[in-house]
Amino acid sequence: MIIRPRVQRLILTRILSASLILLALWTTLEVLSIRRALTREASKPPPPFGKQRIFIASLHWTDERILREYWVPAVRQLAQDIGRDNVFVSVYESGSFDDTKGALQELDDQLTGLGIDHKVVLDETTHLDEVSRDRGPGDEGWVQMPATKSYRQNWTEWFELEKDEWVPRRIPYLARLRNQVMEPLYEQQSKGVVYDKILWLNDVVFNTEDVRTLLATRHGDYAAACALDFKQAPKFYDSFATRDAEGYAPLTATWPFFQSAQSRHPLIHGQPVPVASCWNGMVAFDAKPFYRIVDRLVFRGIPDSLARSHVEGSECCLVHADNPLSREKGVWVNPRVRVGYNGTAYGAVNGGAWPSGYAIATGVWRNRILRLWGLLKASDRVVEARLREWRRWDSAAVEPGPFCLIDEMQILLWNGWGHA
Ligand SMILES: *[C@@H]1O[C@H](CO)[C@@H](O)[C@H](O)[C@H]1NC(C)=O
């Protein structure tokens, strides 16, 4: 039997339109089922703080606006809601270009007035002090510029850093400051006061309920639990510290973010998401590893000898790699907690159905296509090769957080930080 071309075309068109209808139907059902699961999870109210003791920690640089508008009132409210017998607020700031010190001084005064234990350190050391310091022999946290490069001085002018010039690395600097923020934890311990959870806050918009939801992730059973953070919603912000259950950086900046099915499936159902690492503007740690007598958990950067080969890793990722409790209790993202770097971003991902039906439909398909594409294309193994090379030259070289590593060199500048 011969099918005439006209009939052939007709059959083909029918098959095509039937497929499209099926695809649309499938997607619609998928969106409805995801929405239902997300709504069910979102309707569960978080439990009260209870008797747990919470140590709040944060680090600041030039963020006066959000502090005055959102953060300072939110932290004051949070500390009151936790209750003054159960909370400590530890804040460190240095070298801001605006009146961040003024905003934090107000928090200091308010907490004093409320009788809430706290330590607010407003350090006069600037980035300029850090970069002008001479690197002493054996000083850690420095690299040599791999090439001469220009950086912005202001709107119109540039300044240059010469090849081979010694510059401080950004991550060891941040790690050092974070450890400084943790110091009151040990001062309190020597007075017999021990905390259950460490809550690190970035300069984000959040409220007490967000923190209650975060702390109650898996009924409090976690090594660490993180929010999701947004600067330019709907785009997720913290890709530097976030690694999914298989150690992959987020596949997309938009929902459902993750490559690993182990992480993606719980996210889609509004459940806590197992990950290798996260920070995301707000993260709660089980405090125990920070109290260990041997191998106390601290913040750190990767070794200078590895950073020299143009590799970097966030101190906010490495801390999870180093944390022995990560293996036991897991690191989790709680997708019900979404913070923003300003009011617009916060509003876009809170109050109302998030993500929208449209974002779900496009998100699941974009994720599928990118995963398929990822299977076809050869993966980028630059960082792995550099890590191997580093190990070959130094048999004692160990980096417990290989999944944290990226192909960057981050340095401190007098007016911020940059890539070298
Ligand atoms: C919030 O931040 C985003 C991204 O930086 C910006 O586009 C937006 O205008 C900001 N909104 C406000 C109210 O400042």
Side-chain angles (χ1 to χ4, degrees), residues 318-361:
L318 298 169
V319 71
H320 298 292
D322 294 347
N323 188 351
L325 211 56
S326 298
R327 259 86 68 198
E328 214 178 294
K329 293 191 165 192
V331 178
W332 306 81
V333 168
N334 188 335
R336 286 181 56 195
V337 186
R338 301 180 291 270
V339 297
Y341 289 91
N342 66 24
T344 317
Y346 185 84
V349 292
N350 288 282
W354 179 91
S356 67
Y358 176 77
I360 293 173

Side-chain angles (χ1 to χ4, degrees), residues 100-303:
T100 297
K101 281 186 170 56
L104 291 172
Q105 187 57 56
E106 275 179 30
L107 176 67
D108 192 341
D109 297 342
Q110 290 170 9
L111 293 176
T112 304
L114 292 165
I116 291 166
D117 280 338
H118 65 284
K119 184 171 184 179
V120 174
V121 177
L122 306 175
D123 193 336
E124 293 299 334
T125 314
T126 62
H127 277 40
L128 182 60
D129 296 330
E130 298 287 344
V131 300
S132 336
R133 190 180 301 175
D134 278 333
R135 176 183 165 273
D139 266 5
E140 280 179 52
W142 292 70
V143 278
Q144 281 177 288
M145 289 296 292
T148 300
K149 197 172 169 187
S150 298
Y151 299 91
R152 227 175 236 296
Q153 178 90 359
N154 50 44
W155 286 110
T156 50
E157 289 164 294
W158 298 72
F159 66 97
E160 215 166 65
L161 292 176
E162 305 268 328
K163 182 176 182 328
D164 294 335
E165 196 173 324
W166 284 97
V167 287
R169 292 171 50 209
R170 173 179 180 242
I171 300 298
Y173 166 77
L174 290 175
R176 174 160 53 90
L177 297 192
R178 288 198 193 280
N179 290 330
Q180 219 161 313
V181 177
M182 294 297 289
E183 265 165 31
L185 186 77
Y186 308 107
E187 292 161 14
Q188 288 292 100
Q189 188 187 20
S190 64
K191 294 183 201 159
V193 185
V194 173
Y195 295 84
D196 301 294
K197 295 281 190 323
I198 313 289
L199 178 71
W200 270 96
L201 296 174
N202 283 13
D203 42 1
V204 290
V205 181
F206 72 96
N207 62 33
T208 291
E209 188 170 325
D210 294 326
V211 175
R212 270 168 48 200
T213 307
L214 184 71
L215 288 171
T217 303
R218 290 174 45 83
H219 307 290
D221 184 29
Y222 48 78
C226 311
L228 287 169
D229 63 348
F230 298 86
K231 188 166 254 175
Q232 202 121 37
K235 284 190 184 150
F236 168 66
Y237 178 68
D238 191 1
S239 57
F240 188 24
T242 301
R243 297 292 177 270
D244 70 18
E246 291 174 61
Y248 294 115
L251 185 64
T252 54
T254 50
W255 190 95
F257 321 112
F258 301 110
Q259 174 164 346
S260 161
Q262 228 179 307
S263 297
R264 201 176 57 251
H265 290 165
L267 175 90
I268 285 174
H269 295 96
Q271 303 285 338
V273 176
V275 291
S277 162
C278 59
W279 191 270
N280 305 352
M282 181 153 98
V283 49
F285 287 89
D286 186 319
K288 276 183 224 79
F290 292 96
Y291 284 117
R292 275 159 50 118
I293 295 167
V294 183
D295 285 338
R296 173 198 281 179
L297 186 58
V298 293
F299 292 95
R300 67 166 178 97
I302 60 168

Side-chain angles (χ1 to χ4, degrees), residues 4 12 38 88 107 153 234 243 280 309 347 387 407 411 414:
R4 272 176 288 163
L12 215 63
L38 293 176
F88 191 98
L107 176 67
Q153 178 90 359
R243 297 292 177 270
N280 305 352
S309 55
L387 191 59
D407 177 15
I411 59 166
W414 75 268

